Amino acid sequence: MMPGLYHQYMIHSNYHSHFNLDDGYGELSEYAESAIERDLDIIGISPHAPLCYLNDWTLSEAGLNEYAASMPGFKAEYGDKLEIYSGLEVDFIPGGMGPADTKYHELGLEYRIGSVHSIEDPETGEHLSVDGPIAEMELLHKRTFSNDIKPLVSRYFELEIEMLELGGFDILGHCDLVKKRNVNNRFFNQDEKWYRNEAMQMLEIAAGKDVIVEVNTGGLSRGATIEVYPSKWMLERCHELNIPLTLSSDAHNPDHIDYHFAESLDLLKLVGYGEIYFFSKGEWRSQPIL
Ligand SMILES: [Zn+2]
Ligand SMILES: [Zn+2]
């Protein structure tokens, strides 16, 4: 979409952005400049919190402290031109870490996104990502789950539910990420009842928590999916359950700061949503989708 083509009068925001201190491309300033150029009013930065196992896609412990310390200055630099908030995308790994851990609440950051990216192989202790290359998803499917997709999907949504029960986060990140490598129904068909039941059960738990579900366009911007997270039929259920939504791009590149936003707002209207949530000056508020 070209800059300046948004529906007028709405506050446009994105709370899910990575940068070159974790697995994103570009400096923080490039994300701010891109947001201003595209008429966004608010951006939130949300690098991956360091994990409890070796990896190449999160902040290091030193990087986390550097990031938290740099945010007040970065925000001040943009003053009235752009509202900037400091967040963190925290993985949930049972027995290892999660957004409820106090350490993520003591960094002076303003919000947290709770996300599940990987599933542990109980035999090897290895954490295999559903967000990684197709080969990694295939290994998870073949080795950890003996070529049976149902327990894999079930474990994914079970982890989401465990994370929801523990809380400690504002936004539930890309809540059906398990579909990322499912292009052309390579692993499962979302229309099948067993899959829908797993996803719906998770949404029902989310509805009972003080959490905002994220509509995330990051699968689209990276060419991995043909739809947003969560899928349209899940958004219909979110609407029935009165679950508040926010819209974010999971940008790993400054050019993607508002990727597919206008189309996503149209989709939300189509499934019945009349309002969307945004975070500003310490609180989450709703506004009509125009
Ligand atoms: Zn994520
Ligand atoms: Zn992310």
Side-chain angles (χ1 to χ4, degrees):
M1 192 185 73
M2 293 297 291
L5 289 184
Y6 286 120
H7 308 288
Q8 279 181 304
Y9 310 123
M10 271 188 77
I11 289 167
H12 292 285
S13 57
N14 165 40
Y15 300 99
H16 198 149
S17 331
H18 299 270
F19 69 111
N20 62 10
L21 220 51
D22 65 332
D23 61 342
Y25 166 83
E27 306 277 339
L28 277 182
S29 58
E30 294 177 69
Y31 287 81
E33 297 298 338
S34 174
I36 291 168
E37 192 182 315
R38 288 155 199 269
D39 289 340
L40 287 189
D41 304 283
I42 304 171
I43 59 164
I45 309 296
S46 59
H48 294 287
L51 295 183
C52 52
Y53 59 88
L54 209 60
N55 72 88
D56 59 2
W57 49 276
T58 71
L59 293 170
S60 62
E61 289 292 342
L64 174 58
N65 292 326
E66 185 190 325
Y67 160 68
S70 73
M71 283 305 284
F74 174 58
K75 289 164 62 148
E77 219 177 292
Y78 286 89
D80 294 343
K81 282 196 288 183
L82 182 68
E83 270 183 57
I84 301 174
Y85 294 104
S86 55
L88 195 63
E89 183 175 14
V90 186
D91 269 71
F92 174 62
I93 297 165
M97 64 183 283
D101 298 355
T102 48
K103 62 185 284 193
Y104 305 115
H105 298 248
E106 292 169 345
L107 294 157
L109 303 175
E110 293 159 295
Y111 68 95
R112 281 153 301 279
I113 301 173
S115 293
V116 175
H117 296 99
S118 60
I119 298 176
E120 186 175 1
D121 184 319
E123 297 272 311
T124 65
E126 210 178 340
H127 297 265
L128 294 167
S129 179
V130 300
D131 193 27
I134 289 179
E136 194 167 346
M137 177 71 177
E138 276 176 345
L139 186 62
L140 186 65
H141 178 226
K142 189 175 167 195
R143 197 183 64 191
T144 310
F145 290 96
S146 312
N147 280 315
D148 192 352
I149 195 63
K150 289 183 187 177
L152 188 163
V153 166
S154 184
R155 181 63 183 146
Y156 183 82
F157 286 116
E158 185 180 60
L159 289 169
E160 298 256 305
I161 289 170
E162 277 179 48
M163 179 173 74
L164 281 162
E165 295 294 355
L166 291 167
F169 57 100
D170 307 68
I171 302 172
L172 178 63
H174 44 58
C175 67
D176 61 345
L177 185 67
V178 72
K179 77 178 178 202
K180 179 172 178 180
R181 294 304 177 196
N182 194 44
V183 176
N184 297 326
N185 292 345
R186 188 184 184 112
F187 296 101
F188 54 85
N189 184 337
Q190 286 189 51
D191 293 338
E192 285 180 25
K193 204 170 171 202
W194 68 270
Y195 183 87
R196 294 207 166 201
N197 285 345
E198 295 284 355
M200 297 297 204
Q201 198 191 344
M202 184 275 297
L203 290 179
E204 274 156 34
I205 303 289
K209 308 292 175 193
D210 187 17
V211 78
I212 293 174
V213 165
E214 169 188 78
V215 178
N216 178 313
T217 63
L220 285 162
S221 64
R222 283 178 280 181
T225 63
I226 53 164
E227 60 185 348
V228 296
Y229 308 109
S231 296
K232 185 183 170 203
W233 58 270
M234 286 177 73
L235 289 169
E236 283 164 355
R237 186 67 184 135
C238 286
H239 179 54
E240 285 167 8
L241 292 166
N242 275 320
I243 294 177
L245 300 180
T246 189
L247 173 61
S248 283
S249 63
D250 206 345
H252 285 71
N253 180 319
D255 291 340
H256 292 162
I257 199 85
D258 63 347
Y259 193 86
H260 209 71
F261 272 17
E263 298 87 339
S264 301
L265 289 172
D266 286 343
L267 173 68
L268 295 187
K269 282 197 284 190
L270 192 68
V271 302
Y273 271 91
E275 57 177 27
I276 190 161
Y277 277 73
F278 67 100
F279 179 84
S280 177
K281 300 181 174 61
E283 59 175 354
W284 285 97
R285 283 181 281 163
S286 70
Q287 64 172 331
I289 302 174
L290 298 175

